[in-house]
Amino acid sequence: MTQDTPRIDTLASLSGKAPWRLGLQHFRDDHLLIWITRGQGRAIVAGQRKGMGINNMLFIPAGTLFSVDPGPQGFGLAMVVPPDSGVPLPERNHHLRLRDVHAQQELTALVEAMQREQSGGGDLHAAALRAHATLITIWLKRALVDAPESAAASAEARIAAAFTDLVVRDFRSGKPMAAYAEKLDITPTHLTRCLNTTAGMSAAAILTECSLHAARSLLCDTDHPVGRISEHLGFGSPAYFTRFVQQHTGKTPSGLRDAGSSVARKVSQP
């Protein structure tokens, strides 16, 4: 498959056996369409907390701040769609609870057909996967037309979405939460109250999780020096970055990198 080819992954595969990869607030370069088939969990998307159960679908556009916790018994599949794949996806995030058995069967059949193509290969393999992804997208758009009309977003939800958009854009600047509140022309107290209401966590906690996810990703997935990572993420010094990592993980940056490499080796083993 080429880099612009859609694919089906399990949530466990997306997390690489490391729960923080999905469980911390972060954003991806790819679009995600998540289909929960077992268990109970939760997601926080663009500052909105959502309960996730069996036969729930979640569409998360590329560049949207989110986290997913499928729960201890949870299982789900994700269609991963690169932004330059040509698949005509919706422009904003959506959450569907599929109660109609026929709709559940339709989606299951479409996903299974894409999985068969993905495992089979053959001529025009990438084109076929894009076609399957397009059919799933068409199914989603039809389901959205038939879905009950959602209520207008509350003022708190609009502030939460605007805040998470700013976090995606500016979290590497090292700005404190108060600077985001100032940009939104509200007080830090009001911003915190809004996020506690919509996401169940504070604005500062969301900002911290986004920075921590980026730090862990760079430490575990690259060999960049700690000082370079610290500077890239807007920390005042490598020492401050080290304290930040230790405070939130209990490990030094080098210890975290070693632990991440160990997990990666285990995941790659047959």
Side-chain angles (χ1 to χ4, degrees), residues 50-98:
K50 305 171 186 292
M52 296 287 290
I54 187 171
N55 298 323
N56 275 216
M57 169 182 276
L58 192 63
F59 173 66
I60 306 171
T64 300
L65 199 68
F66 79 99
S67 61
V68 173
D69 177 5
Q73 304 300 321
F75 179 83
L77 299 170
M79 183 172 75
V80 182
V81 184
D84 53 356
S85 65
V87 177
L89 292 160
E91 294 182 358
R92 64 180 185 86
N93 69 81
H94 293 281
H95 179 206
L96 288 176
R97 294 182 174 92
L98 301 182

Side-chain angles (χ1 to χ4, degrees), residues 11-44:
L11 291 184
S13 176
L14 280 183
S15 70
K17 305 297 184 182
W20 63 266
R21 290 189 183 272
L22 285 178
L24 292 176
Q25 286 282 295
H26 66 292
F27 59 94
R28 297 176 61 96
D29 295 331
D30 298 325
H31 308 286
L32 288 181
L33 195 152
I34 295 173
W35 173 229
I36 301 295
T37 57
R38 186 176 70 231
Q40 296 284 334
R42 70 163 194 175
I44 301 174

Side-chain angles (χ1 to χ4, degrees), residues 54 102 120 143 159 247:
I54 187 171
H102 179 64
I159 288 173
Q247 178 184 352

Side-chain angles (χ1 to χ4, degrees), residues 23 28 47 70 78 90 99 102 115 119 135 138 148 170 174 187 196 204 213 233 269:
R28 297 176 61 96
R99 296 182 173 87
H102 179 64
Q115 286 179 302
S119 61
L135 285 174
I138 291 171
D170 293 340
T187 66
N196 279 329
H213 189 283
L233 296 180
Q269 290 174 354

Side-chain angles (χ1 to χ4, degrees), residues 11 22 33 46 53 112 137 154 163 179 182 206 216 220 223 241:
L11 291 184
L22 285 178
L33 195 152
E112 288 178 347
T137 299
S154 66
F163 168 69
E182 182 179 0
I206 287 176
R216 295 190 72 144
C220 294
D223 58 1
F241 176 72

Side-chain angles (χ1 to χ4, degrees), residues 132-154:
H132 281 291
T134 298
L135 285 174
I136 292 173
T137 299
I138 291 171
W139 179 95
L140 170 60
K141 291 183 175 181
R142 287 174 171 171
L144 290 172
V145 170
D146 295 335
E149 189 172 340
S150 58
S154 66

Side-chain angles (χ1 to χ4, degrees), residues 122-134:
D123 293 340
L124 301 174
H125 180 55
L129 286 173
R130 284 192 289 271
H132 281 291
T134 298

